[in-house]
Amino acid sequence: MDNRDINVDWKQFIQKSIDAMLVTDDKGNIILANQSAADNLDMPVGELVGNNVYDMLKKEIYINSTIVKALEEKQVVTDVVIHKENKLLSTSVPILDTRGNVKFVITNSRTHELVESLYGKITAVERNNQRYKEIITLLNESSNETIIADSPEMKQIIRYCDSIAPYDGNVLISGESGCGKDLIARYIHSKSSRSKNSFIPINCAAIPKELFESECFGYSKGAFTGALSSGKIGYFELANGGTLFLDEIGELSLDMQSKLLRVTETGEFTPVGSNKVIKTDVRIISATNRNLSRMTEDGGFREDLYYRLSVIPIEVPPLRERISDIETISLYFIEKLNQKYGTKKYLSAWSINNLQQYKWPGNVRELKNVIERWFIITEGEKIDISLNRYELPGAETADREENTGKLRNPPDFTGTLNEATKEFQKRYIEYVIEKNGNHIGKAAEELGVHRSTLYRKNLK
C-alpha cells in the first residue's frame, strides 16, 4: 500500500465518521470536512471547506475554537465550542512535522446533548455497579455469623435457631431495639441450606412509601419519571434462592403490607411498569420491636400477613434480663477493639460489676457504644467504666422513674446518714487508689487531700 492509498483511506475515514470532523492546514484553512461537521455548523460541506477558522471566529459563526488553540499551543486541546444555541464538545489534535511545526489540525466534535446522553448511560451503569457492590458487601458480612452469649436464655434461643434453620418457614423475631434481632436473622441464614445464596436486609422504616414497590419488586426501563433507563432489579429478585430480612416490619403502612402479602402467598411478583410475572424462592425473616399481635387487633397490621410472617416466632430478651451476657459481650468488644488498634486494654472487675448494674435501655447496641467510648478515652491499659449519669450516655434516663408511681432502687448503704457517708467515703477512696495503681500520692492529688489524710481515712 503506497502513500496515495493511505491518503484515500484517511479521507474516507473522516467522511464516514459519525463524529463531526474537520481538517485544517497550518494557517487554519479548512481543507476537509464531513457531513456531521457541516450539519453542526448549518453549512453545506462544499461551502464549509475553504473557510478559515480565524475568519469564522470574527464573523461569530461559532464562539471559541479548539483549532486556533491547537495551532497556537501545538498540543491537544479539548473544550466546548458554541454555535448559536448548539454546544459542541470539541477536541483538536495538531499534527507536527520533524521541526515541530504544525502541518495539520484534526478536529472531532460531538453535540453536548449526545455527550450528556452518554454520560447519563454511564452514570446509570455506575449506579447499578454501586448497588451490586453494596449487595456483595452484605453477602460478605452475612458469612460466618456467630452469636456471643453466655446466658441460659440466649443459649436456648441459639439451640432453637439451629433446629429451625434447615426449614423454609418464615421467621418473626421480636424484641427491643438493639437487642440483636438482625444477628439472629443472619445466624439462621448461615445455618440454613440457603447460606451460599444471598442474605438481603431491608430496613422497612427507611423506605419511603412511594418507593417501596419499586425497591422490593424492581421496575422495567422507563417505568416512571426518574427511573433508570436500564430498569432496576428489586430485592425479592436479588434474594432469589436466599433469605430476605425485613427489619422493622411493624413500620410498614397498610398499603405496603398489602403489596407484600401477595408475594408471601404465591412467591410471585410483577416489577413496576412490566407485565412479566417473576417467580422467586426466598425465605422471609422479619423483625420488629412492636407487638404485631396487638397491632392486628387494633387494625394497624394485616392479620393475614401477620400469620404468613410468624410461622416461627422468636422472642429475644432484653440485655437487662440476661445479665451474664453483659460480661461476655463486653469482653468480646474489648478484644475486637484491641485487635483493631493493636492495644492490650482490659476491663477492670469494678467496671464489669458496674455494667451489670445498669439497665441498658439501648441493649447490646448501647453497650457496644459505651465500651468503645471508654476504650478510646482511657489512656492506660486498665479501663474503669463509671455509671455516673454525666459519664454514661443514657444513664440518667434509666435512673429516673418519672410519672410511674415507683420509687428508685434504694442504695446498698444502711444505717444513719453519718454511717452511710463514711461507708461511701471509704469505698470511693478505695476506688481512686486502685484507679491510680495503688499510688497514694496520685490518689491524694486527685481527691484534693494530703496523703497523710488519705492514709488515715483509708486505714479506718
Side-chain angles (χ1 to χ4, degrees):
M1 180 180 293
D2 60 23
N3 290 338
R4 288 173 298 176
D5 293 327
I6 294 174
N7 191 41
V8 171
D9 290 342
W10 181 60
K11 290 181 179 179
Q12 288 181 350
F13 168 75
I14 290 175
Q15 290 168 347
K16 293 181 179 180
S17 174
I18 60 171
D19 287 346
M21 296 196 72
L22 293 171
V23 180
T24 54
D25 62 18
D26 59 335
K27 300 292 191 267
N29 297 311
I30 300 174
I31 58 176
L32 186 62
N34 65 5
Q35 187 60 50
S36 295
D39 291 341
N40 283 343
L41 296 173
D42 297 328
M43 298 173 66
V45 174
E47 186 178 331
L48 182 58
V49 174
N51 268 280
N52 183 276
V53 293
Y54 289 98
D55 293 337
M56 295 175 74
L57 272 177
K58 289 179 181 178
K59 296 176 182 178
E60 296 185 349
I61 294 176
Y62 55 77
I63 301 172
N64 199 12
S65 174
T66 57
I67 300 174
V68 170
K69 291 179 181 178
L71 285 167
E72 295 174 351
E73 298 174 9
K74 299 182 181 180
Q75 62 183 12
V76 177
V77 177
T78 298
D79 206 343
V80 175
V81 175
I82 300 175
H83 169 66
K84 297 181 180 178
E85 296 181 357
N86 194 17
K87 294 181 180 179
L88 306 174
L89 184 64
S90 179
T91 298
S92 293
V93 181
I95 308 298
L96 309 180
D97 60 19
T98 55
R99 296 181 179 179
N101 297 317
V102 177
K103 293 175 59 179
F104 306 103
V105 174
I106 301 175
T107 302
N108 76 293
S109 304
R110 286 186 174 179
T111 63
H112 195 258
E113 289 77 8
L114 178 59
V115 173
E116 285 188 336
S117 174
L118 292 173
Y119 176 77
K121 290 178 181 179
I122 293 170
T123 303
V125 171
E126 288 177 345
R127 280 200 297 263
N128 269 337
N129 286 343
Q130 182 61 35
R131 183 177 176 85
Y132 297 140
K133 287 178 183 177
E134 291 172 356
I135 291 167
I136 290 170
T137 301
L138 292 172
L139 297 182
N140 291 336
E141 289 177 350
S142 67
S143 60
N144 300 320
E145 294 298 340
T146 187
I147 301 173
I148 308 301
D150 191 46
S151 66
E153 297 86 352
M154 287 304 297
K155 287 181 177 179
Q156 183 178 354
I157 287 178
I158 292 171
R159 287 193 296 271
Y160 185 61
C161 290
D162 288 336
S163 67
I164 61 99
Y167 304 96
D168 283 341
N170 293 334
V171 180
L172 177 62
I173 306 171
S174 303
E176 295 180 5
S177 293
C179 67
K181 298 186 292 294
D182 59 334
L183 192 60
I184 296 289
R186 291 179 186 276
Y187 181 81
I188 293 171
H189 173 75
S190 71
K191 296 295 181 180
S192 73
S193 59
R194 299 172 176 267
S195 60
K196 294 182 180 179
N197 295 320
S198 307
F199 177 91
I200 305 295
I202 305 174
N203 187 335
C204 297
I207 302 178
K209 177 180 177 181
E210 60 274 11
L211 296 180
F212 179 81
E213 189 174 8
S214 62
E215 287 293 313
C216 286
F217 309 133
Y219 56 80
S220 60
K221 66 177 183 178
F224 51 85
T225 303
L228 297 178
S229 58
S230 58
K232 185 178 181 180
I233 298 174
Y235 291 125
F236 271 91
E237 191 170 356
L238 288 169
N240 187 38
T243 303
L244 192 67
F245 177 47
L246 302 176
D247 197 11
E248 298 192 54
I249 188 71
E251 304 303 317
L252 282 181
S253 68
L254 289 171
D255 182 47
M256 291 191 280
Q257 291 174 32
S258 63
K259 292 175 180 178
L260 184 61
L261 178 64
R262 183 195 172 202
V263 71
T264 63
E265 291 177 336
T266 65
E268 297 178 345
F269 64 91
T270 304
V272 177
S274 172
N275 295 321
K276 182 181 178 182
V277 176
I278 297 178
K279 187 78 174 177
T280 187
D281 171 29
V282 298
R283 181 184 197 173
I284 298 177
I285 300 179
S286 306
T288 182
N289 60 3
R290 305 182 68 178
N291 188 329
L292 292 192
S293 179
R294 184 175 298 170
M295 287 179 67
T296 61
E297 297 173 2
D298 298 338
F301 201 87
R302 292 184 63 118
E303 188 176 27
D304 44 7
L305 179 60
Y306 171 68
Y307 290 128
R308 287 282 178 186
L309 297 177
S310 61
V311 175
I312 304 171
I314 297 176
E315 180 75 27
V316 182
L319 189 58
R320 62 183 173 274
E321 293 180 8
R322 40 189 175 106
I323 295 176
S324 58
D325 281 342
I326 293 175
E327 179 178 1
T328 305
I329 296 172
S330 298
L331 296 178
Y332 171 77
F333 288 148
I334 290 290
E335 180 58 28
K336 295 292 286 184
L337 289 167
N338 277 327
Q339 291 176 6
K340 180 177 181 180
Y341 295 108
T343 53
K344 295 181 180 180
K345 296 186 180 185
Y346 64 94
L347 282 175
S348 67
W350 184 82
S351 294
I352 293 173
N353 180 65
N354 280 349
L355 293 173
Q356 290 175 333
Q357 298 301 315
Y358 182 55
K359 299 303 181 183
W360 299 110
N363 291 291
V364 178
R365 186 182 294 122
E366 183 184 10
L367 174 60
K368 181 180 180 181
N369 291 341
V370 168
I371 292 291
E372 185 171 5
R373 175 176 179 242
W374 281 92
F375 184 96
I376 291 170
I377 66 176
T378 298
E379 295 182 357
E381 293 186 349
K382 182 181 178 182
I383 302 174
D384 284 316
I385 297 181
S386 171
L387 284 178
N388 185 299
R389 67 174 61 207
Y390 300 108
E391 296 179 89
L392 182 60
E396 66 275 15
T397 56
D399 191 45
R400 293 189 193 124
E401 293 287 353
E402 295 178 349
N403 303 318
T404 62
K406 296 180 181 180
L407 294 174
R408 296 181 184 180
N409 292 329
D412 58 356
F413 304 119
T414 57
T416 65
L417 178 61
N418 187 45
E419 290 170 339
T421 301
K422 288 181 179 179
E423 179 65 20
F424 169 78
Q425 190 178 76
K426 181 176 181 293
R427 293 189 193 182
Y428 188 63
I429 289 172
E430 289 173 350
Y431 157 67
V432 174
I433 291 174
E434 181 187 351
K435 178 180 161 186
N436 285 279
N438 294 317
H439 194 293
I440 298 297
K442 290 182 179 178
E445 183 179 351
E446 181 175 334
L447 291 168
V449 299
H450 194 274
R451 65 165 59 214
S452 61
T453 302
L454 191 55
Y455 273 119
R456 186 177 65 255
K457 288 183 176 292
N458 192 40
L459 292 174
K460 284 184 179 181

